[in-house]
Amino acid sequence: KMASSCTPWIGSAYLFLQSTCKTIVLPSLYESSQKKPSVFKALKLALEDSTGSGNGVDMLKVHCSHPHLIVQLKFCKQENCRQFLQSYREGALQQSLQNHLQLSLAMTTVPLEMELKAGNEHLDKMLKDEDRCLECIYREKPDRLRDEEITELEERLKSLVFHPSTNNSVAEKDCASLHSPSLPNSSKGTSLSSQDHFVFQGQQFANRTLTRDDHQKFAKLVSKKWKQVGRSLQKYCRGLRDPVIDNLALEYEREGLYEQAYQLLCRFIESEGKKATIALLISALEENGLISLAEELLGLHSGEDYS
């Protein structure tokens, strides 16, 4: 049942975005600290266009789930939600977002596919029935507050001056820079991250930024101890405070331990950029007795169970 005149109208939906161009991977662009503000700016401006208002729809979180970029939306007024649905149905939102991404990322074109969901309902299948779509969105109450990262990006956007490159290849090349972000930070105690080499079990290893392979092995093998590793990383990473770790556990509980651990390293990399090194991760694993997993990441042997 829809809200009465004296009850606030609040609803939630998820907007799934995917580029149809193989050289443009939206999650990788968003996970790159250099491109994240540009992608966020495009999303914000397109959503403002769709409702005709700067506060018609609120972004609560942006999820990276390859190949999709998933934006969790919150609507606080039925008329704003209705206007958004009209813009979505008529293709205006898609065109607006393509245009804003093209400008922000300095690319020739950013072709998109979009899908809108509310709970288990695929709203694309019922767009002609606007009232039914509104009911589905209204039934889905937001399950979270706005993510800290969104608030930080909002603040950065207010003071950010964009200087988009005219060289399109620069933007496309950055698609592959998922594990080479360069967001400055002032974290203390990261001496391990700046060393060229580190010692593990008497052997010297070259220090480096974390790779996709590291990320996947860690998520697959760390099992239930991912939270302990996260707390050990706190001394190097201000972005992994206890509330953040607890929130990851709750948010990705349904997806299981792999996704929880994967998102932990995502947050580590997003927060520390190039300082999120293999040396720091190995140190955290040692601290928690996960020697076999550390050996696996360093290529010393192949293991299966580290829980």
Side-chain angles (χ1 to χ4, degrees):
K1 187 177 180 180
M2 300 290 276
S4 64
S5 58
C6 61
T7 305
W9 196 100
I10 297 176
S12 180
Y14 287 89
L15 181 63
F16 288 70
L17 306 170
Q18 179 181 0
S19 172
T20 56
C21 176
K22 291 183 179 179
T23 61
I24 302 173
V25 184
L26 290 179
S28 295
L29 285 171
Y30 192 79
E31 288 172 319
S32 160
S33 60
Q34 288 182 325
K35 295 302 175 186
K36 187 189 296 265
S38 298
V39 177
F40 178 79
K41 178 186 178 184
L43 287 169
K44 183 171 176 60
L45 292 176
L47 289 170
E48 288 180 0
D49 291 346
S50 73
T51 61
S53 169
N55 56 5
V57 56
D58 191 17
M59 280 187 281
L60 297 183
K61 184 174 177 64
V62 178
H63 303 263
C64 294
S65 180
H66 292 261
H68 292 101
L69 198 65
I70 308 171
V71 187
Q72 186 174 2
L73 304 174
K74 175 185 176 182
F75 300 91
C76 291
K77 290 184 179 180
Q78 182 177 334
E79 54 266 37
N80 288 333
C81 188
R82 189 181 294 276
Q83 194 166 352
F84 169 86
L85 285 170
Q86 291 171 352
S87 176
Y88 181 86
R89 183 179 65 243
E90 295 166 1
L93 173 62
Q94 180 175 358
Q95 188 60 54
S96 175
L97 182 52
Q98 288 179 165
N99 291 341
H100 285 303
L101 284 170
Q102 180 180 340
L103 291 171
S104 294
L105 296 170
M107 292 183 173
T108 53
T109 182
V110 185
L112 295 174
E113 285 183 348
M114 308 177 85
E115 187 176 1
L116 189 63
K117 296 181 181 180
N120 295 323
E121 299 289 349
H122 293 251
L123 302 187
D124 297 73
K125 299 178 180 179
M126 60 179 83
L127 288 175
K128 292 182 179 180
D129 191 344
E130 195 170 281
D131 287 337
R132 186 181 171 197
C133 289
L134 285 168
E135 289 175 5
C136 291
I137 292 173
Y138 175 70
R139 283 201 305 266
E140 293 299 317
K141 302 305 180 190
D143 59 357
R144 61 174 298 120
L145 298 175
R146 180 194 280 198
D147 193 68
E148 287 180 4
E149 181 183 66
I150 298 295
T151 302
E152 291 171 5
L153 287 166
E154 290 268 15
E155 292 302 316
R156 289 181 65 183
L157 188 57
K158 291 177 182 177
S159 59
L160 197 59
V161 178
F162 283 85
H163 300 285
S165 168
T166 54
N167 184 350
N168 296 333
S169 64
V170 173
E172 292 181 5
K173 182 180 179 181
D174 196 68
C175 288
S177 66
L178 169 60
H179 297 287
S180 303
S182 59
L183 185 65
N185 68 78
S186 56
S187 297
K188 296 181 180 180
T190 55
S191 58
L192 269 175
S193 66
S194 59
Q195 294 177 1
D196 291 332
H197 293 83
F198 66 98
V199 176
F200 173 73
Q201 293 188 334
Q203 297 185 51
Q204 191 174 74
F205 295 88
N207 199 8
R208 54 176 172 76
T209 54
L210 294 172
T211 66
R212 183 181 295 275
D213 190 49
D214 296 330
H215 208 146
Q216 292 176 339
K217 283 183 179 179
F218 173 82
K220 180 181 178 182
L221 301 172
V222 71
S223 192
K224 296 177 181 179
K225 289 191 175 181
W226 70 270
K227 292 177 75 172
Q228 290 97 306
V229 175
R231 293 191 176 98
S232 294
L233 288 172
Q234 285 176 346
K235 67 172 74 73
Y236 313 115
C237 179
R238 60 182 176 179
L240 287 178
R241 297 184 295 271
D242 281 342
V244 174
I245 294 175
D246 292 339
N247 188 49
L248 289 174
L250 289 172
E251 185 175 347
Y252 296 98
E253 184 177 11
R254 290 184 179 180
E255 285 86 347
L257 294 172
Y258 177 93
E259 190 63 24
Q260 289 170 330
Y262 189 91
Q263 293 299 329
L264 175 77
L265 281 199
C266 279
R267 185 57 64 96
F268 179 43
I269 292 168
E270 287 171 5
S271 177
E272 296 305 304
K274 290 181 179 179
K275 293 184 178 181
T277 62
I278 188 68
L280 297 184
L281 183 56
I282 294 299
S283 175
L285 293 174
E286 282 189 284
E287 190 172 311
N288 289 281
L290 296 170
I291 304 303
S292 294
L293 176 49
E295 292 173 346
E296 173 72 16
L297 292 178
L298 294 174
L300 297 180
H301 72 73
S302 296
E304 293 181 358
D305 186 8
Y306 304 90
S307 60

